[in-house]
Amino acid sequence: MLEMLKRSFGVLIAVLALSAWGQSYPNRAVRIIVPAGTGGPDIVARVVAAQLQTQLGQPFVVENRPGANGIIGADVVAKAPPDGYTLMVYSSGFVINKFVHKTLPYDTEKDFVPVTNLVSSGGLFIAVHPSVPAQTLQDFLELARKPESKLSYSSPGVGNTWHLAMEVFNVVAGTKLQHIPYKGGGPATAALAAGEVQAMVASPAPLLPHYKSGRVRVLGYTGATRHPGAPDVPTTAEAGLPKYDVDGGWFGMFAPANTPAAVVDKLYREVKTAVETPETRDKLLNLGVWPVGNSPAEFRKFFEDELRIHADMVRMAGLKPE
């Protein structure tokens, strides 16, 4: 009986200690690793980080760690101390890496704790450079299907969400656009705006500024309804390609495995408050993304579903692990 009381007391002390740790967190700067270059998920990460800094009174520093389609940055987070002071914000490209690389320096499912999904991108834009003689999606399909067509498209890297989406487009539309990978969403969209490539499929956030300035032409949106930032752009269903309804992806927050549950829960609650703050919410909506802020349990279920969905997409696109 005495031994049982000792064990129970020990468990109680541990629970109270973790709870106190969660309440005092953070008491110094928090580093948010974005495993991509500028112009991608870091746009969302910086908006949310600024609000978290206001709420919690500690710096939330966003650090870009691009390379190998996010693998380099993700590995930094996987091997960081599980104390809540090193976090990751990344896109659904994080899920895809598991299926397009033979080996990874970390375990996608075991080395990270899903904290919360920050935002959803809704759908994706299909865009071309203005020099491409296509005013509609049907014009573009007719052009791209010609045997002599040598059109190329940009993406943030091999296995990235946009890369996979365009390879699925090739299958569904019967085209053979050539993939030109860049180091991040910003460089990939800039490449299209500069005419280095002729097309791309991309999330609205990094592409909208180029669309509004006239540097790119958007031919379709893969969402169920038109995007509010580009109401003149038809959905792919409206444009005559109903089978191409690829989801726009998401930007989620992860922590290293074994991060205390009290810290994970506090992060989730603070992020939820942040994305629901009117000013932050408006900034995110203006970027063309929708705030989410779901619970760790909800995000884990969503993450597991995304693994299954993207495994099927990789098989459909015919991508082989490298």
Side-chain angles (χ1 to χ4, degrees), residues 69-123:
N69 194 44
I71 295 172
I72 292 174
D75 191 41
V76 171
V77 178
K79 293 176 171 56
D83 55 11
Y85 290 95
T86 301
L87 307 170
M88 178 174 76
V89 168
Y90 198 34
S91 68
S92 39
F94 176 52
V95 169
I96 300 168
N97 279 333
K98 176 181 172 70
F99 306 108
V100 297
H101 294 276
K102 290 181 179 178
T103 59
L104 292 173
Y106 54 80
D107 188 306
T108 303
E109 297 173 74
K110 295 180 180 179
D111 290 343
F112 301 87
V113 176
V115 177
T116 185
N117 189 5
L118 303 179
V119 299
S120 167
S121 292

Side-chain angles (χ1 to χ4, degrees), residues 142-185:
E142 183 178 346
L143 177 67
R145 287 167 178 163
K146 292 180 178 179
E148 68 274 18
S149 174
K150 296 186 182 297
L151 302 177
S152 61
Y153 73 92
S154 59
S155 88
V158 175
N160 184 273
T161 307
W162 303 353
H163 172 215
L164 178 57
M166 185 54 99
E167 289 302 316
V168 172
F169 178 87
N170 273 335
V171 172
V172 172
T175 55
K176 293 183 180 179
L177 280 76
Q178 181 184 358
H179 180 216
I180 309 295
Y182 286 79
K183 293 184 178 180

Side-chain angles (χ1 to χ4, degrees), residues 30-43:
V30 177
R31 182 173 61 154
I32 300 178
I33 301 291
V34 176
T38 57
D42 73 310
I43 303 174

Side-chain angles (χ1 to χ4, degrees), residues 285-298:
L285 291 172
N286 286 335
L287 289 172
V289 294
W290 284 264
V292 179
N294 54 2
S295 71
E298 290 168 335

